[in-house]
Amino acid sequence: MRKLFFIIMVLAVNVTLVSAQHAKANLVFDKMIHDFGELQESNGRVNYVFKFKNTGGQPMVLHNVKASCGCTTPEWTHNPIPPGGTGQVKAIFDPRNRPGNFNKSITVQSNAQNGTVVLRITGKVLAREKTVEDIYPRNMDVIRLESSHLAFTKMSPQQKKTEQLKIISTSAEPVKLSFLNVPKHITIKAVPEVLQPNQAAVITATYDASIKNDWGFVTDNIFLIFNDTRDYKNRLTLSASIEEDFAGWSEDKKANAPVISIAEKTWNFGEIKQGDKVNHEFKVQNNGKSQLIIRKVKASCGCTAIKPAKTILAPGEETTIIAEFNSAGKSGRQNKSVTVVTNDPKSTTTLLRITGNVQ
């Protein structure tokens, strides 16, 4: 009798637990993964509807549905789902500029006992044939370009480098291409110089860092002239990052190199009134074993005046970089930077930050 009583009690407890479990909302999808197969990029967006049911005993609400990337935009049932009720999550996938295989997730969060469910959509995007606008996305009057920015990236102070930029004519007439405001350290030409209608060409530019005689990230703006007509909105930006090359240094030379040390790299000037000027001293020390040379100090805008007290520091020597912020014409939150370029092989560029609020 005792044994029978014990069994009955266990069964009663289990029945109670099962009943309590089913009293909660329960999210059940008819399908967790959908394979779109092969999609033509040119056909645009596709969608699939994941259907679900609340098999629990309480109303269910989907709190949030989030896709793993912006190319997948979900839509879902927002109203509470009663016990036995159904709803849906719609996955919308945009294949534009996404050729190749894809595997995206959609995370569904609800008040159900299985509070988080992950759905997936998969497939393969077949790339569309590229148009002139795709190949040459930058439009400039009578031509299109791959880009309006020609980057020479990292260069040593004595290096000369050549880069090219592809262009195409969009004019129904011949276009003569020339250049204005070309600095001495850059030579630039178009080949051919005269483009026939729909003809492709190449802009070739050579950058001589020894003539530029500068340090860090530098830019130049050159204007494109079509058929000898000037329009200053047709601008090509050329950039380079001029840094010393320490790759050939021996281990002994590296061990005896200068080391820049700046205790505090951020200055918050707090709250100031518009028109006020404030300044701060950044303390710089050479913790290395040879001379530290401060090659360049550059602010992110003209409102921050920089004045290095000394540019060559012996081992152990200190100096200050004085930053002055002029709030004239400024309002609201301010975030400025000061770039310090040195001959420290481990830290050629150091970034200082100036923040605060102008009332």
Side-chain angles (χ1 to χ4, degrees), residues 101-113:
N101 295 319
F102 66 90
N103 187 335
K104 306 298 180 184
S105 65
I106 302 165
T107 302
V108 182
Q109 295 178 320
S110 71
N111 66 330
Q113 58 184 349

PDB file of all heavy atoms in Angstrom, residues 101-113:
ATOM      1  N   ASN A 101      27.221  32.477 -52.458  1.00  0.00           N
ATOM      2  CA  ASN A 101      26.403  31.783 -51.472  1.00  0.00           C
ATOM      3  C   ASN A 101      26.066  32.696 -50.291  1.00  0.00           C
ATOM      4  O   ASN A 101      26.867  33.559 -49.915  1.00  0.00           O
ATOM      5  CB  ASN A 101      27.125  30.542 -50.961  1.00  0.00           C
ATOM      6  CG  ASN A 101      27.331  29.509 -52.056  1.00  0.00           C
ATOM      7  OD1 ASN A 101      26.449  29.281 -52.874  1.00  0.00           O
ATOM      8  ND2 ASN A 101      28.494  28.885 -52.088  1.00  0.00           N
ATOM      9  N   PHE A 102      24.897  32.493 -49.704  1.00  0.00           N
ATOM     10  CA  PHE A 102      24.532  33.236 -48.492  1.00  0.00           C
ATOM     11  C   PHE A 102      23.850  32.303 -47.500  1.00  0.00           C
ATOM     12  O   PHE A 102      23.222  31.310 -47.870  1.00  0.00           O
ATOM     13  CB  PHE A 102      23.637  34.442 -48.815  1.00  0.00           C
ATOM     14  CG  PHE A 102      22.274  34.091 -49.354  1.00  0.00           C
ATOM     15  CD1 PHE A 102      21.193  33.906 -48.505  1.00  0.00           C
ATOM     16  CD2 PHE A 102      22.067  33.959 -50.723  1.00  0.00           C
ATOM     17  CE1 PHE A 102      19.930  33.594 -48.996  1.00  0.00           C
ATOM     18  CE2 PHE A 102      20.812  33.644 -51.228  1.00  0.00           C
ATOM     19  CZ  PHE A 102      19.735  33.461 -50.367  1.00  0.00           C
ATOM     20  N   ASN A 103      24.029  32.625 -46.235  1.00  0.00           N
ATOM     21  CA  ASN A 103      23.427  31.871 -45.124  1.00  0.00           C
ATOM     22  C   ASN A 103      23.148  32.883 -44.015  1.00  0.00           C
ATOM     23  O   ASN A 103      24.042  33.278 -43.282  1.00  0.00           O
ATOM     24  CB  ASN A 103      24.378  30.783 -44.641  1.00  0.00           C
ATOM     25  CG  ASN A 103      23.746  29.861 -43.602  1.00  0.00           C
ATOM     26  OD1 ASN A 103      22.808  30.255 -42.902  1.00  0.00           O
ATOM     27  ND2 ASN A 103      24.253  28.665 -43.477  1.00  0.00           N
ATOM     28  N   LYS A 104      21.891  33.320 -43.921  1.00  0.00           N
ATOM     29  CA  LYS A 104      21.521  34.384 -42.995  1.00  0.00           C
ATOM     30  C   LYS A 104      20.602  33.835 -41.902  1.00  0.00           C
ATOM     31  O   LYS A 104      19.805  32.936 -42.139  1.00  0.00           O
ATOM     32  CB  LYS A 104      20.815  35.523 -43.723  1.00  0.00           C
ATOM     33  CG  LYS A 104      21.602  36.079 -44.909  1.00  0.00           C
ATOM     34  CD  LYS A 104      22.927  36.664 -44.497  1.00  0.00           C
ATOM     35  CE  LYS A 104      23.683  37.212 -45.695  1.00  0.00           C
ATOM     36  NZ  LYS A 104      25.025  37.713 -45.327  1.00  0.00           N
ATOM     37  N   SER A 105      20.733  34.402 -40.722  1.00  0.00           N
ATOM     38  CA  SER A 105      19.898  33.970 -39.593  1.00  0.00           C
ATOM     39  C   SER A 105      18.906  35.053 -39.203  1.00  0.00           C
ATOM     40  O   SER A 105      19.144  36.243 -39.403  1.00  0.00           O
ATOM     41  CB  SER A 105      20.774  33.629 -38.386  1.00  0.00           C
ATOM     42  OG  SER A 105      21.433  34.772 -37.898  1.00  0.00           O
ATOM     43  N   ILE A 106      17.780  34.617 -38.659  1.00  0.00           N
ATOM     44  CA  ILE A 106      16.748  35.514 -38.139  1.00  0.00           C
ATOM     45  C   ILE A 106      16.413  35.036 -36.731  1.00  0.00           C
ATOM     46  O   ILE A 106      15.937  33.916 -36.549  1.00  0.00           O
ATOM     47  CB  ILE A 106      15.488  35.491 -39.018  1.00  0.00           C
ATOM     48  CG1 ILE A 106      15.846  35.897 -40.453  1.00  0.00           C
ATOM     49  CG2 ILE A 106      14.423  36.408 -38.455  1.00  0.00           C
ATOM     50  CD1 ILE A 106      14.787  35.566 -41.447  1.00  0.00           C
ATOM     51  N   THR A 107      16.707  35.855 -35.740  1.00  0.00           N
ATOM     52  CA  THR A 107      16.495  35.488 -34.342  1.00  0.00           C
ATOM     53  C   THR A 107      15.134  36.000 -33.875  1.00  0.00           C
ATOM     54  O   THR A 107      14.851  37.197 -33.957  1.00  0.00           O
ATOM     55  CB  THR A 107      17.605  36.053 -33.447  1.00  0.00           C
ATOM     56  OG1 THR A 107      18.876  35.565 -33.906  1.00  0.00           O
ATOM     57  CG2 THR A 107      17.415  35.617 -31.997  1.00  0.00           C
ATOM     58  N   VAL A 108      14.302  35.064 -33.398  1.00  0.00           N
ATOM     59  CA  VAL A 108      12.953  35.384 -32.950  1.00  0.00           C
ATOM     60  C   VAL A 108      12.899  35.265 -31.428  1.00  0.00           C
ATOM     61  O   VAL A 108      13.193  34.206 -30.866  1.00  0.00           O
ATOM     62  CB  VAL A 108      11.913  34.427 -33.585  1.00  0.00           C
ATOM     63  CG1 VAL A 108      10.504  34.799 -33.136  1.00  0.00           C
ATOM     64  CG2 VAL A 108      12.029  34.451 -35.106  1.00  0.00           C
ATOM     65  N   GLN A 109      12.535  36.347 -30.754  1.00  0.00           N
ATOM     66  CA  GLN A 109      12.440  36.356 -29.298  1.00  0.00           C
ATOM     67  C   GLN A 109      10.990  36.595 -28.883  1.00  0.00           C
ATOM     68  O   GLN A 109      10.329  37.490 -29.411  1.00  0.00           O
ATOM     69  CB  GLN A 109      13.347  37.443 -28.715  1.00  0.00           C
ATOM     70  CG  GLN A 109      14.827  37.178 -28.958  1.00  0.00           C
ATOM     71  CD  GLN A 109      15.710  38.284 -28.423  1.00  0.00           C
ATOM     72  OE1 GLN A 109      15.388  39.456 -28.543  1.00  0.00           O
ATOM     73  NE2 GLN A 109      16.818  37.906 -27.812  1.00  0.00           N
ATOM     74  N   SER A 110      10.526  35.779 -27.942  1.00  0.00           N
ATOM     75  CA  SER A 110       9.131  35.858 -27.504  1.00  0.00           C
ATOM     76  C   SER A 110       9.025  35.525 -26.026  1.00  0.00           C
ATOM     77  O   SER A 110      10.029  35.234 -25.354  1.00  0.00           O
ATOM     78  CB  SER A 110       8.274  34.883 -28.322  1.00  0.00           C
ATOM     79  OG  SER A 110       8.576  33.540 -27.953  1.00  0.00           O
ATOM     80  N   ASN A 111       7.774  35.546 -25.508  1.00  0.00           N
ATOM     81  CA  ASN A 111       7.538  35.180 -24.113  1.00  0.00           C
ATOM     82  C   ASN A 111       7.248  33.688 -23.962  1.00  0.00           C
ATOM     83  O   ASN A 111       6.825  33.237 -22.897  1.00  0.00           O
ATOM     84  CB  ASN A 111       6.355  35.982 -23.548  1.00  0.00           C
ATOM     85  CG  ASN A 111       5.035  35.610 -24.224  1.00  0.00           C
ATOM     86  OD1 ASN A 111       5.030  35.224 -25.393  1.00  0.00           O
ATOM     87  ND2 ASN A 111       3.939  35.745 -23.486  1.00  0.00           N
ATOM     88  N   ALA A 112       7.465  32.917 -25.028  1.00  0.00           N
ATOM     89  CA  ALA A 112       7.227  31.476 -24.981  1.00  0.00           C
ATOM     90  C   ALA A 112       8.283  30.794 -24.123  1.00  0.00           C
ATOM     91  O   ALA A 112       9.336  31.362 -23.816  1.00  0.00           O
ATOM     92  CB  ALA A 112       7.233  30.886 -26.387  1.00  0.00           C
ATOM     93  N   GLN A 113       8.008  29.553 -23.734  1.00  0.00           N
ATOM     94  CA  GLN A 113       8.979  28.817 -22.921  1.00  0.00           C
ATOM     95  C   GLN A 113      10.277  28.582 -23.697  1.00  0.00           C
ATOM     96  O   GLN A 113      11.351  28.523 -23.115  1.00  0.00           O
ATOM     97  CB  GLN A 113       8.382  27.485 -22.458  1.00  0.00           C
ATOM     98  CG  GLN A 113       7.915  26.562 -23.582  1.00  0.00           C
ATOM     99  CD  GLN A 113       7.251  25.319 -23.041  1.00  0.00           C
ATOM    100  OE1 GLN A 113       7.324  25.054 -21.845  1.00  0.00           O
ATOM    101  NE2 GLN A 113       6.597  24.567 -23.900  1.00  0.00           N
TER     102      GLN A 113
END
